[in-house]
Amino acid sequence: MSAWTKVGAARSADASPARRPNVGLIGAVFFIVSESMFFLGLFLAYFYLRALSKTWPPPDTPPLSTVLPTLNTGVLLISTLFMAWAERGIARGDARRLQIGTGVAAVLGLIFLTIQAFEIADLGFAPHSSAYGSAFFFLMGFHVVRVFGGVVFMVIILARALIGQFSARRRAAVQACALYWYFLAGVWLVVFWVLYWLK
Amino acid sequence: MASVSIPARTEYLRHGLVSWLATVDHKRIGIMYLASTFVFFLLSGLMALVIRLQLTAPGLQIVNQDLYNQLFTMHGTGMIFLFTIPCLVGFANYFLPLQIGARDVAFPRLNALSLWLLIFAGVVMEGGFLLGILGLLPGGASNAAWTAYVPLSNKQFSPQIGMDIWLLGVVLLGISSTLGAVNFLVTAYTMRAQGMTIWRIPMFVWAMIVTAAMVLIATPVLTAALAMLIADRNFATQFFNTANARLWQHMFWFYSHPAVYIMILPAMGIVSEILPVFARKPLFGLKAVVVSTILIGVLGFTTWVHHMFVSGVDPIVERFFMLTTMIIAVPTGVKMFNWLFTMLGGSLNLKTPLLMCLGFLSTFVIGGLTGVIQALIPLDMQLHNTYWVVAHFHYVLFGGSVFGIFAGFYYWLPKITGRLLDDKLGKLHFALMWVGFNLTFFPMHFLGLMGMPRRIATYTADRGWELGNLIATIGAFMVAVSVLIFMVNFVRSLRHGARAGNDPWEGNTLEWTVTSPPPEHNFDTLPTVESERPARDLRLAASNPTVPAH
């Protein structure tokens, strides 16, 4: 408690509201920069290995079906719409919209994870099959891990929304959560394109 | 100022061990950063002494080859990941909020998490090393050098669990330093005092902003590579097959070359703080210093392949990286001139902090020049993997970063402890360390040119390497003695040192306007800044009441 409340109190007492920047949101932006670089590292590895391989994917790899991931892309995009709807809602002070929107977005996130689990189980190759398999699983897997983290974040936001912690003036955590969720949807679009469509 | 009700605190949160474990105060966290990283410095220093003893004369067997490999691996890892990088972060923790006139960092609890992750990672890595050399881990500790090149570090050639412990430690350190970087960037961006516009930001803060941005961009790529290597070793993934081994080098150096600037920029920031104070002049070409700091940060990401000229990279690519490596010397040279001109015509106050800065300038310039020489591809093919390289990077990281860190200690410890360090002992420390450092590392240039490879556990008598190695070992022990003198000086100062007062050096920045040590909340009222030297403004206003106070 102590120093934290003191700092917060001191900040709100000294800085005029107009000058008080949205610290949490700026922090989320910088965090997302580091997350982007992590995925960039994985993508670089993917393309490096791809460039060094004679055949990509290896000849005995079963062909990928795009049915489930296309469906899943829809699920994730609709989820971001609900998140945006929730965020707009609380910006106008509508706590109910925040609760419903975040709740639906989180459930859609769980559906995404479930479908991803089926997709990964049915791929027909494994991380240790080839360099292709390794790079494929890393991109899919680390995105799944992040989406799980995003769902946990949304559940926390939902719980805090239900006990009435957010308002039009106090919604930095909602904004940070929404921003991270849009980021994950954006990463998925690139992952989907690179793994399933790029020839 | 509106009155603020602060909840009363129980006694155990104010004093004693629990208060340190539970603290989120940036100053206490900074002290714990400095103290823990100094312990890691001493451990890595001891390893260096064993390495030097082993190489004193041809054919010595003080430690066997296996142990030797583990020693230089942990020496390098410890010095880089557990000392130089986080020690400078420790200074930033303590002084960045004070210098920008804030009461803490933006995310104090996240800050505590960074610290404890660092300490945990350090204990894991040093613990793994200790168990390894005591023979309690099958196969020993990691022995694949701090670069952990594949295939040396893969399951086939490094089957021991010590390698996994090492990799896990580096992952944890990466998370710690990424979280720290987010914290510093947000703090510097949002919590500066009223009036602290971009050209009034202190030089050390500027250095930390650029450093944190580099950490944020570079570290996750290393984390990705480490995750891939851990998976290769434990889940049979195939990222780093022998055919793809260069992938590790690219990803490793994409982080680890910027890491050189992550280690040197904050030290440059410290030098840029100290020189104007001890020359009693404004910093020469402030904007040029800031712009060159940013340029070094940007260009730092364009040079990593110069570590790989013998790895079989396309010659066109190699030439590009040769040029970028030479270009990055330009902003560094700009800074050199700015520092020299700051001192020129100044009334030099020849105290230990200034001497340490002179040590920085005199040795870092050699490290910088040998870097440009090494950038030449045909020369690099000869110098690669020889003691020349060891000499070069010690001139950068010891001659640069470590002299900068000690300059920071002599300059800022009085603010932290409230007591001045003894200047005579400080000068003795400086003289011994400067001479010892040059004795250790200057001969290594010649050893490298004579063909002595890095990382060899011993050598035969017919090579002509005896004299250089003997001198280097003598120098290393002089450095060790000088560090002991520093420690004695520090411990003595806690009891017997002269009171520092608020401002023992007539400083320029806001940390000198508060008591030593500063109160827990730093500033009674948040300061307003009207120039790049706010503490000087206040001092002048106080000594001359007719001039309106800034």
Side-chain angles (χ1 to χ4, degrees):
Chain A
M1 284 297 283
S2 58
W4 176 252
T5 44
K6 194 169 181 176
V7 168
R11 200 191 287 144
S12 53
D14 288 346
S16 60
R19 274 190 71 244
R20 216 165 75 218
N22 197 336
V23 172
L25 188 59
I26 297 167
V29 171
F30 285 124
F31 178 70
I32 286 172
V33 170
S34 86
E35 288 283 275
S36 316
M37 288 308 299
F38 180 80
F39 278 104
L40 190 72
L42 295 183
F43 278 118
L44 285 177
Y46 179 90
F47 283 109
Y48 189 91
L49 295 172
R50 184 184 169 122
L52 285 189
S53 302
K54 288 192 189 73
T55 53
W56 188 270
D60 53 343
T61 310
L64 291 167
S65 155
T66 53
V67 177
L68 284 183
T70 310
L71 176 69
N72 236 353
T73 307
V75 171
L76 203 54
L77 289 180
I78 293 169
S79 169
T80 61
L81 291 180
F82 273 97
M83 194 67 220
W85 183 72
E87 195 207 337
R88 291 277 163 79
I90 197 64
R92 295 181 193 156
D94 189 343
R96 186 137 189 84
R97 246 174 84 173
L98 173 65
Q99 292 162 5
I100 295 169
T102 318
V104 175
V107 169
L108 287 169
L110 284 176
I111 294 173
F112 176 88
L113 288 173
T114 313
I115 297 177
Q116 264 325 53
F118 280 108
E119 169 68 12
I120 289 171
D122 269 358
L123 280 172
F125 57 89
H128 55 261
S129 309
S130 60
Y132 168 77
S134 308
F136 191 101
F137 267 81
F138 254 53
L139 278 168
M140 289 280 271
F142 274 105
H143 183 261
V144 162
V145 169
R146 260 56 179 186
V147 168
F148 180 75
V151 170
V152 171
F153 197 173
M154 285 194 287
V155 169
I156 292 169
I157 294 292
L158 178 62
R160 291 182 60 186
L162 287 171
I163 56 174
Q165 284 195 352
F166 297 113
S167 66
R169 284 173 60 85
R170 188 181 163 79
R171 59 190 165 94
V174 180
Q175 289 173 296
C177 178
L179 198 65
Y180 192 57
W181 195 240
Y182 307 150
F183 165 73
L184 290 179
V187 171
W188 169 250
L189 290 180
V190 184
V191 170
F192 182 40
W193 177 65
V194 167
L195 294 185
Y196 285 86
W197 295 101
L198 190 69
K199 293 293 170 224
Chain B
M1 186 183 144
S3 71
V4 180
S5 74
I6 295 163
R9 298 202 288 149
T10 37
E11 182 61 20
Y12 75 93
L13 282 176
R14 280 184 179 280
H15 303 288
L17 185 65
V18 176
S19 74
W20 284 89
L21 294 176
T23 189
V24 292
D25 174 10
H26 73 98
K27 295 185 290 298
R28 285 183 160 204
I29 290 176
I31 290 170
M32 286 191 278
Y33 257 101
L34 294 173
S36 53
T37 55
F38 198 81
V39 171
F40 297 134
F41 170 64
L42 294 179
L43 288 173
S44 278
L46 283 176
M47 295 170 206
L49 291 182
V50 178
I51 292 169
R52 277 320 318 166
L53 271 181
Q54 168 92 348
L55 295 175
T56 311
L60 288 184
Q61 281 289 339
I62 292 162
V63 290
N64 63 34
Q65 182 134 8
D66 283 341
L67 193 52
Y68 185 85
N69 292 348
Q70 296 169 45
L71 272 170
F72 74 67
T73 298
M74 198 58 216
H75 163 73
T77 311
M79 282 296 189
I80 291 167
F81 289 122
L82 296 175
F83 169 58
T84 312
I85 295 175
C87 180
L88 290 160
V89 170
F91 282 120
N93 250 300
Y94 200 103
F95 291 105
L96 187 141
L98 281 166
Q99 287 199 317
I100 64 170
R103 292 208 161 115
D104 207 311
V105 292
F107 306 109
R109 285 179 291 190
L110 195 65
N111 202 20
L113 179 63
S114 296
L115 167 76
W116 292 110
L117 273 174
L118 163 74
I119 292 178
F120 179 64
V123 170
V124 165
M125 293 174 92
E126 300 283 3
F129 171 75
L130 195 65
L131 293 178
I133 60 170
L134 292 177
L136 296 173
L137 286 182
S142 164
N143 56 2
W146 85 281
T147 49
Y149 270 20
V150 288
L152 178 58
S153 57
N154 70 14
K155 198 74 181 171
Q156 188 185 353
F157 298 105
S158 293
Q160 73 273 34
I161 185 125
M163 190 72 221
D164 293 296
I165 293 175
W166 185 91
L167 289 165
L168 177 72
V170 183
V171 169
L172 291 171
L173 290 168
I175 296 169
S176 161
S177 92
T178 309
L179 297 178
V182 170
N183 218 339
F184 289 133
L185 284 170
V186 179
T187 306
Y189 185 56
T190 62
M191 295 174 72
R192 300 196 306 277
Q194 188 106 42
M196 189 173 278
T197 53
I198 59 164
W199 300 118
R200 292 179 189 162
I201 295 175
M203 288 303 108
F204 179 65
V205 177
W206 262 119
M208 280 316 299
I209 291 171
V210 176
T211 303
M214 295 185 85
V215 167
L216 202 62
I217 291 170
T219 312
V221 177
L222 178 69
T223 308
L226 291 165
M228 288 154 62
L229 185 52
I230 291 171
D232 267 13
R233 293 174 52 81
N234 296 294
F235 309 110
T237 54
Q238 300 190 34
F239 287 109
F240 303 120
N241 287 335
T242 311
N244 314 329
R246 245 178 294 154
L247 176 60
W248 170 266
Q249 298 184 23
H250 278 295
M251 294 184 82
F252 177 82
W253 288 114
F254 182 84
Y255 166 79
S256 292
H257 194 76
V260 174
Y261 304 102
I262 290 167
M263 288 183 271
I264 199 71
L265 283 177
M268 287 175 160
I270 292 173
V271 171
S272 303
E273 291 288 341
I274 292 176
L275 284 181
V277 172
F278 286 79
R280 303 187 177 101
K281 274 178 67 189
L283 183 64
F284 182 88
L286 180 144
K287 290 186 183 178
V289 175
V290 172
V291 171
S292 55
T293 302
I294 296 169
L295 271 179
I296 291 173
V298 174
L299 291 171
F301 283 98
T302 65
T303 65
W304 81 90
V305 175
H306 70 215
H307 295 271
M308 301 166 56
F309 286 163
V310 298
S311 305
V313 180
D314 189 300
I316 301 290
V317 177
E318 288 187 344
R319 270 171 247 176
F320 170 81
F321 282 93
M322 172 174 83
L323 286 175
T324 54
T325 304
M326 294 164 95
I327 289 169
I328 203 167
V330 174
T332 313
V334 168
K335 286 190 159 197
M336 271 289 168
F337 283 107
N338 280 292
W339 290 323
L340 293 177
F341 278 84
T342 301
M343 288 189 289
L344 192 69
S347 163
L348 295 184
N349 180 12
L350 275 173
K351 294 264 171 58
T352 316
L354 179 66
L355 291 178
M356 286 291 175
C357 289
L358 295 177
F360 172 100
L361 296 180
S362 56
T363 49
F364 178 71
V365 75
I366 296 176
L369 287 173
T370 51
V372 179
I373 293 169
Q374 252 160 248
L376 304 167
I377 295 165
L379 210 52
D380 181 79
M381 303 246 174
Q382 296 301 315
L383 299 174
H384 190 90
N385 230 5
T386 69
Y387 258 85
W388 168 279
V389 179
V390 179
H392 157 72
F393 69 71
H394 280 94
Y395 266 86
V396 174
L397 294 179
F398 190 148
S401 304
V402 177
F403 273 92
I405 284 169
F406 277 112
F409 276 135
Y410 280 97
Y411 181 59
W412 275 326
L413 273 178
K415 177 54 68 184
I416 297 174
T417 64
R419 305 278 191 158
L420 289 168
L421 292 149
D422 183 78
D423 200 52
K424 284 210 180 79
L425 281 177
K427 281 172 174 155
L428 184 62
H429 168 201
F430 166 74
L432 265 178
M433 193 165 85
W434 194 87
V435 173
F437 166 81
N438 282 293
L439 284 180
T440 311
F441 296 106
F442 204 74
M444 289 185 187
H445 292 111
F446 301 108
L447 290 172
L449 291 173
M450 286 191 272
M452 180 171 169
R454 292 171 78 171
R455 294 167 180 155
I456 50 167
T458 191
Y459 51 94
T460 50
D462 55 354
R463 302 292 182 129
W465 301 340
E466 291 95 328
L467 181 63
N469 275 301
L470 180 64
I471 295 174
T473 302
I474 293 169
F477 278 85
M478 285 177 72
V479 172
V481 171
S482 79
V483 173
L484 279 179
I485 292 172
F486 168 74
M487 290 163 65
V488 169
N489 194 355
F490 172 70
V491 173
R492 258 189 88 232
S493 80
L494 292 178
R495 262 174 191 281
H496 307 292
R499 298 264 172 200
N502 290 6
D503 185 10
W505 315 118
E506 302 197 325
N508 290 331
T509 37
L510 286 170
E511 74 269 31
W512 305 111
T513 64
V514 292
T515 53
S516 308
E520 192 183 337
H521 55 282
N522 291 354
F523 301 97
D524 291 336
T525 50
L526 287 182
T528 305
V529 174
E530 307 224 341
S531 79
E532 78 276 13
R533 296 194 283 171
R536 181 173 175 274
D537 295 344
L538 283 171
R539 199 167 54 240
L540 292 183
S543 67
N544 188 358
T546 57
V547 178
H550 277 312

